[in-house]
Amino acid sequence: MAELPQVNNNNNSGGSVPVLFCFSVFARPSSLPLGSGYEGLVQKFVLLYGEHIDVRRKFVVQLFSEEWGQFIDLPKGFLLSEKCRLRLVPVQAQMPTLGNLLPSSTVFFCCDMQERFRPAIKYFGDIISVGQRLLQGARILGIPVIVTEQYPKGLGSTVQELDLTGTKLVLPKTKFSMVLPEVEAALLDVPGVRSVVLFGVETHVCIQQTALDLTGRGLEVHIVSDATSSRSMMDRMFALERLARAGIIVTTSEAILLQLVADKDHPKFKEIQNLIKGL
């Protein structure tokens, strides 16, 4: 494989390297921290072009080589060191979503579980209980948690039953989707994030719009069906059906937690098992 092109660049102030990110007919200049690797490059492509990327396809990142006068596959172990041109290229046809989960590449999203929704949302007490179990599971497994609150001035804060200790971000919002600039920045701080476990209210509004936005940015979304609800069960049902057809994974809290430990010999299995049993 050809050596990396040597480009003289003395403008890496603050440890930032200019990069031209190319995808399809687009080319957008941006920058990344010096030393960024493959995962950081992919996340940047998703941030720039998420609405154009079909996340069920496989892609390869390529680097423009001055020596060869064309793009070459990104060399193994590549670390960004100087100004360059990169492109993201689809390499095979659409693939089914497999839904594998690993603690190291997963983030939990807790959406708008607020006090003023309590009397209006069907089975609100139940989804609070399941939500608290998921938050405890995230703490046990060291999984980052991002929490939003929809217009808290009018709708109140997150319900007291949910312990937000150790969450990565608690953010007020007015937009229905949780995908705000602050949330996207927080995701970039999580190395190798691939999957989002999403729960909260309402299923047909904030959950649905968040799931679609995250999918458009290349992330695999798992909606916890027993931890999300709406005022109307019909709205909830049709939203979950629509999301499943879009390739988003609709699952349950127990399935999520056991998939994350994966093995009864996992050092945290007993804690997760007791959590599921309610002990």
Side-chain angles (χ1 to χ4, degrees), residues 23-143:
F23 175 71
S24 184
V25 298
F26 307 104
R28 297 177 184 174
S30 190
S31 62
L32 278 175
L34 185 69
S36 295
Y38 180 81
E39 293 291 346
L41 300 177
V42 171
Q43 288 182 28
K44 190 68 172 184
F45 271 110
V46 170
L47 185 63
L48 292 171
Y49 297 114
E51 69 272 22
H52 302 290
I53 295 174
D54 182 347
V55 297
R56 290 169 291 180
R57 301 187 71 176
K58 283 192 173 181
F59 294 86
V60 63
V61 178
Q62 295 184 325
L63 171 74
F64 188 81
S65 166
E66 297 290 349
E67 177 184 355
W68 294 103
Q70 65 180 25
F71 283 95
I72 61 173
D73 291 348
L74 198 68
K76 186 176 181 180
F78 174 83
L79 295 176
L80 187 63
S81 60
E82 52 196 354
K83 182 179 179 181
C84 62
R85 191 191 325 171
L86 300 170
R87 74 174 179 183
L88 188 68
V89 183
V91 293
Q92 72 176 56
Q94 182 172 300
M95 295 182 64
T97 298
L98 297 177
N100 292 323
L101 283 174
L102 295 171
S104 60
S105 59
T106 299
V107 177
F108 279 21
F109 273 34
C110 176
C111 182
D112 306 348
M113 300 275 275
Q114 293 159 255
E115 192 58 46
R116 286 288 295 275
F117 289 124
R118 191 185 295 270
I121 301 296
K122 292 287 194 292
Y123 305 108
F124 194 67
D126 292 337
I127 66 169
I128 288 174
S129 298
V130 178
Q132 174 59 8
R133 188 183 309 148
L134 289 166
L135 293 176
Q136 288 179 262
R139 282 193 294 274
I140 291 169
L141 297 172
I143 295 171

Side-chain angles (χ1 to χ4, degrees), residues 3-278:
E3 293 182 1
L4 295 183
Q6 300 299 310
V7 180
N8 292 324
N9 177 46
N10 297 317
N11 297 317
N12 296 347
S13 57
S16 181
V17 180
V19 179
L20 183 64
F21 290 88
C22 306
F23 175 71
S24 184
V25 298
F26 307 104
R28 297 177 184 174
S30 190
S31 62
L32 278 175
L34 185 69
S36 295
Y38 180 81
E39 293 291 346
L41 300 177
V42 171
Q43 288 182 28
K44 190 68 172 184
F45 271 110
V46 170
L47 185 63
L48 292 171
Y49 297 114
E51 69 272 22
H52 302 290
I53 295 174
D54 182 347
V55 297
R56 290 169 291 180
R57 301 187 71 176
K58 283 192 173 181
F59 294 86
V60 63
V61 178
Q62 295 184 325
L63 171 74
F64 188 81
S65 166
E66 297 290 349
E67 177 184 355
W68 294 103
Q70 65 180 25
F71 283 95
I72 61 173
D73 291 348
L74 198 68
K76 186 176 181 180
F78 174 83
L79 295 176
L80 187 63
S81 60
E82 52 196 354
K83 182 179 179 181
C84 62
R85 191 191 325 171
L86 300 170
R87 74 174 179 183
L88 188 68
V89 183
V91 293
Q92 72 176 56
Q94 182 172 300
M95 295 182 64
T97 298
L98 297 177
N100 292 323
L101 283 174
L102 295 171
S104 60
S105 59
T106 299
V107 177
F108 279 21
F109 273 34
C110 176
C111 182
D112 306 348
M113 300 275 275
Q114 293 159 255
E115 192 58 46
R116 286 288 295 275
F117 289 124
R118 191 185 295 270
I121 301 296
K122 292 287 194 292
Y123 305 108
F124 194 67
D126 292 337
I127 66 169
I128 288 174
S129 298
V130 178
Q132 174 59 8
R133 188 183 309 148
L134 289 166
L135 293 176
Q136 288 179 262
R139 282 193 294 274
I140 291 169
L141 297 172
I143 295 171
V145 177
I146 292 174
V147 180
T148 58
E149 297 175 340
Q150 180 72 18
Y151 185 55
K153 182 178 178 180
L155 297 173
S157 300
T158 301
V159 295
Q160 292 183 353
E161 294 97 318
L162 295 181
D163 181 1
L164 303 184
T165 302
T167 53
K168 184 174 182 64
L169 180 68
V170 180
L171 185 69
K173 67 182 179 70
T174 55
K175 182 181 177 182
F176 295 138
S177 173
M178 291 179 70
V179 183
L180 303 167
E182 297 90 338
V183 171
E184 293 190 273
L187 286 173
L188 287 174
D189 283 340
V190 182
V193 63
R194 186 173 58 85
S195 307
V196 172
V197 172
L198 174 62
F199 58 98
V201 299
E202 290 184 69
T203 312
H204 66 295
V205 187
C206 297
I207 293 293
Q208 178 170 271
Q209 292 185 31
T210 300
L212 294 173
D213 282 350
L214 289 169
T215 299
R217 282 157 175 78
L219 292 163
E220 186 177 81
V221 181
H222 300 246
I223 295 179
V224 189
S225 60
D226 52 334
T228 181
S229 190
S230 299
R231 288 166 296 164
S232 159
M233 288 294 95
M234 183 173 290
D235 283 333
R236 177 183 181 275
M237 177 183 71
F238 280 106
L240 292 177
E241 287 184 2
R242 177 195 173 183
L243 292 168
R245 286 196 301 271
I248 291 160
I249 297 161
V250 180
T251 184
T252 66
S253 58
E254 182 169 334
I256 288 286
L257 293 171
L258 291 177
Q259 191 171 5
L260 285 165
V261 293
D263 191 320
K264 82 169 195 62
D265 290 331
H266 189 287
K268 301 293 185 180
F269 171 72
K270 277 294 183 185
E271 289 181 76
I272 294 297
Q273 184 184 45
N274 289 337
L275 184 61
I276 291 170
K277 291 180 177 178

